[in-house]
Amino acid sequence: MPMNKIHVPQALPTATCHRINQLLHDSLVETCAVNPDDFFCLVTRYPPQDIILHPSFLGVRDPAHTIIIEIALLGGRSDDQKEALYRDVRKRLGQTGLKPDNSIIYLLENQPIDWSFSSAGSVKSVLRL
C-alpha cells in the first residue's frame, strides 16, 4: 500500500501531476506487485526558488524543473524490483514529455504496524497480520 508524494514545480499543470501519479501507480503494480486498489497520492508544489538541489549529483538535472517522487510502502521488495521500478518510472516519465533526468525517486519502507487508515487501528491489527 504505497503512499506516493510527488513534489513538483508550482507551474506544472494539474493534469500532468495526475498523469505522473497514474504512471507511478502503474509501474508499482507491474514491478513491485502493488495491489491495483492501493492508490494514494499527495502532490506538493514548490516555487523555483524553494528547491535546492545539486544540479549534477549522480546525473545532470535542472533544479527548477525537477520532480521528486517519494514512495512510502511496505518493506519486502527485492533490489531487482526496486531497480526495475526506477527504470520503468523514468521510461514512463519520458513518454509524458518530461525529462526523466529531471527526476529524483526514493523509497521509504515500513511495516503494517506503521499504517492506520481508520479508527480500527493499524493495518496489522485490522488485517490480523
Side-chain angles (χ1 to χ4, degrees):
M1 65 189 80
M3 170 63 78
N4 302 325
K5 291 184 184 177
I6 303 170
H7 308 276
V8 301
Q10 200 166 31
L12 198 66
T14 298
T16 303
C17 296
H18 285 239
R19 189 162 179 209
I20 292 167
N21 184 60
Q22 185 63 57
L23 72 83
L24 175 58
H25 180 72
D26 292 345
S27 188
L28 282 160
V29 169
E30 290 178 26
T31 63
C32 293
V34 166
N35 182 329
D37 292 334
D38 290 352
F39 199 81
F40 305 96
C41 179
L42 295 173
V43 176
T44 304
R45 298 177 178 280
Y46 61 86
Q49 70 272 14
D50 284 350
I51 187 161
I52 303 166
L53 298 172
H54 192 288
S56 61
F57 182 77
L58 299 178
V60 178
R61 73 190 49 81
D62 176 0
H65 294 97
T66 295
I67 64 170
I68 299 172
I69 299 172
E70 174 184 343
I71 307 164
L73 75 165
L74 292 175
R77 275 53 180 213
S78 70
D79 289 352
D80 288 342
Q81 285 176 300
K82 293 173 189 178
E83 291 288 357
L85 173 68
Y86 301 142
R87 282 189 306 275
D88 191 61
V89 168
R90 285 202 170 84
K91 180 180 94 179
R92 291 172 192 254
L93 283 173
Q95 296 167 357
T96 70
L98 296 170
K99 292 184 179 179
D101 287 343
N102 282 341
S103 65
I104 297 172
I105 305 167
Y106 65 96
L107 303 175
L108 303 168
E109 292 183 304
N110 51 44
Q111 301 302 314
I113 191 67
D114 299 316
W115 296 84
S116 178
F117 288 86
S118 71
S119 59
S122 73
V123 168
K124 179 180 180 179
S125 65
V126 171
L127 298 179
R128 300 192 198 299
L129 300 174

